[in-house]
Amino acid sequence: MFCNQCEQAANGVGCNISGVCGKKPDVAALQDLMIFGLKGMAIYAHKARELGASDEAIDLFVLEGLFTTVTNVDFDPESIAAKLHKCYELKEKAKALYEQAYKAKHNADAPMIANAYTDWTPARDLAELVRQGEEHGINTQHYNEDIRSAIWIVVYGLKGMSAYADHAYILGKKDEEVFAFYHKALAATTDQSLGLMDFVNLAMECGKMNLKVMGMLCAGHAEHYGHPVPTPVNLGTREGKAILVSGHDLRMLEELLKQTDGKGVNIYTHGEMIPAHGYPGLKKYPHLAGNFGGAWQDQAKEFVNFPGAIIFNTNCIQRPADTYKDRLYTWGQVAWPGITHIEGWDFTPVIEKALSLPGFPENPGQQILVGFGHNAVLGVADKVIEAVKAGKIRRFFLIGGCDGAKPGRNYYTQLAEQVPDDCVILTLACGKFRFNKLEFGDIGGIPRLLDVGQCNDAFSAIQIALALADAFKCGVNDLPLSLILSWYEQKAHVILLTLLYLGIKNIKIGPSLPAYITPNILNFLVENFQLAPVSSVDADLKAALGV
């Protein structure tokens, strides 16, 4: 195997024995084969769409297939094998769609498309499927290392965007232009005639499309649950039976809240689910009790102490310990061998398991504030602008992104602690668990720590920045704003592409740079966007504050 898509890639190069995330070589091979199969499907789907024909089942599967390969999602070989056979069926459907559309338009048979991608047929046997995947690893995508790096940037961007697009689709949000881009971009990665700048441009277009997708998801959340409002979240426990929900999908949480209403089961959020407490349409449920635990990488030591059922609805799952695996469930694209997977929207098995377990005693804890989406922040924009003009707010620091287990992430805790008292910290995604329990105070009634939400709520942070730039009659790069980001997987990767598409410069990322970026690609990013790795807290603060 060889996998370099996450921040924890072994030795800063890539995992080639077993994944640091827990992914085994057979799963890695099957995921590589999924990307290979999706490319064949995309070739036909792209051709069909150029002729005015499309199919929603094909469009939806490109999201689900890509999402399956995102870090910490699907570790179950049998699950991926089933999806691979579905991928083949839909590839053949896309082929028929293309041929029918061509014949309808030209009254002639469609030109044959014959290559390794379109000719692929999945093996029947799991071991043979793994062997097929081993033949189509990510290093086979191009002979030129810089072009291969640019292809990885595009594909990893598509992977990250697929998670957001899948959540949006579940909320009824979809977009023809976005679907068309998935197929166009995947098909382009099979074209050996394309050069480096072709893929650089595709990467920027991926950032553009992701901005649209995050906007769709933001709108879907607001339409279903209202705009987030500042809300205190209890970090303690409430007496009663308990279910812990980990992931990102708010619709799944809503359905679980409905099905547990009046049953004496309290629902707790974990990790990236904590922003759910700020939505009026979710916090109206009195049994949404609080948040348990921190970021994803601490689950093994935290979940053993959760006396109820636990369910994952998106990426972030790790190898479960025997002490809690019998009360662990997965949903959506998430899967782990031997763990019960919930299909559809009936969570009865999870609820029954929770009712059979002891639950928590009453033990109220610390409260922290969430819910500072762009609607809430812009609602007090006049106070923020006045505070900046009066010199009360010197600078804004966006300190957010993924958390992770590799050493070096205490940098973000130290940075937040050392940001001067006349500066405001915006944060989002699970990286905030490094410092969101600390007390930062306020500036004239404006909290110094503003939790914008999940990783996809980078859309909200962008809206805040654009609104401030408009108010101050300047560009975003001229604002007193520093972006210091942490990354772990492909959703953070595609958000970075969005920021680059918007022309935002001087971003610092860490704790290490992506292993899939070659020196030449890195030089391009440095020269065009002044992208840089984090260094020391003191040096980065001095650079940001101009001292």
Side-chain angles (χ1 to χ4, degrees), residues 263-523:
K263 293 186 177 179
V265 179
N266 293 318
I267 307 300
Y268 294 83
T269 57
H270 173 262
E272 285 265 58
M273 292 303 296
I274 191 172
H277 294 270
Y279 287 90
L282 296 174
K283 71 178 195 166
K284 70 180 182 182
Y285 292 94
H287 58 300
L288 182 59
N291 189 77
F292 178 88
W296 64 271
Q297 76 277 1
D298 292 327
Q299 63 193 257
K301 65 183 181 183
E302 292 176 344
F303 287 3
V304 65
N305 298 315
F306 189 84
I310 304 164
I311 184 166
F312 276 91
N313 64 34
T314 59
N315 64 307
C316 295
I317 194 169
Q318 289 185 299
R319 177 182 297 279
D322 291 340
T323 50
Y324 61 84
K325 68 190 305 182
D326 64 327
R327 48 195 169 89
L328 183 65
Y329 298 83
T330 58
W331 178 87
Q333 305 310 314
V334 187
W336 192 282
I339 299 301
T340 301
H341 186 77
I342 302 297
E343 296 285 355
W345 299 95
D346 183 358
F347 298 103
T348 299
V350 186
I351 298 167
E352 289 178 346
K353 174 61 74 171
L355 289 170
S356 73
L357 294 166
F360 278 116
E362 188 75 17
N363 185 24
Q366 178 186 357
Q367 290 189 333
I368 59 174
L369 279 174
V370 301
F372 291 96
H374 65 277
N375 197 63
V377 174
L378 297 182
V380 293
D382 55 339
K383 294 181 180 178
V384 174
I385 293 166
E386 181 183 338
V388 173
K389 289 181 176 178
K392 295 178 181 178
I393 295 178
R394 179 170 27 156
R395 196 164 190 85
F396 298 88
F397 285 83
L398 176 57
I399 307 174
C402 310
D403 205 359
K406 198 168 76 174
R409 291 180 180 268
N410 59 337
Y411 164 93
Y412 296 94
T413 309
Q414 296 168 7
L415 178 68
E417 289 175 324
Q418 294 181 39
V419 165
D421 291 343
D422 59 355
C423 297
V424 171
I425 300 170
L426 300 169
T427 191
L428 48 80
C430 62
K432 61 175 166 269
F433 284 103
R434 292 276 167 175
F435 50 81
N436 67 343
K437 297 179 183 68
L438 302 177
E439 180 54 54
F440 289 94
D442 65 88
I443 300 175
I446 301 167
R448 285 192 58 238
L449 180 65
L450 302 176
D451 185 344
V452 179
Q454 295 181 335
C455 52
N456 58 277
D457 290 314
F459 180 81
S460 267
I462 290 167
Q463 299 311 303
I464 292 168
L466 293 175
L468 289 175
D470 183 63
F472 288 109
K473 308 298 181 188
C474 67
V476 172
N477 291 316
D478 300 315
L479 286 172
L481 170 66
S482 296
L483 282 75
I484 304 178
L485 309 179
S486 56
W487 79 284
Y488 171 64
E489 38 83 314
Q490 297 81 65
K491 290 185 293 179
H493 167 93
V494 78
I495 288 172
L496 178 62
L497 293 184
T498 295
L499 296 174
L500 299 181
Y501 158 72
L502 290 169
I504 297 175
K505 299 183 177 182
N506 297 304
I507 301 168
K508 289 188 178 294
I509 64 169
S512 61
L513 291 174
Y516 49 82
I517 292 182
T518 60
N520 287 334
I521 298 291
L522 180 59
N523 287 339

Side-chain angles (χ1 to χ4, degrees), residues 40-53:
M41 188 182 79
I43 290 170
Y44 285 124
H46 176 55
K47 292 285 188 183
R49 209 176 222 98
E50 288 183 321
L51 295 165

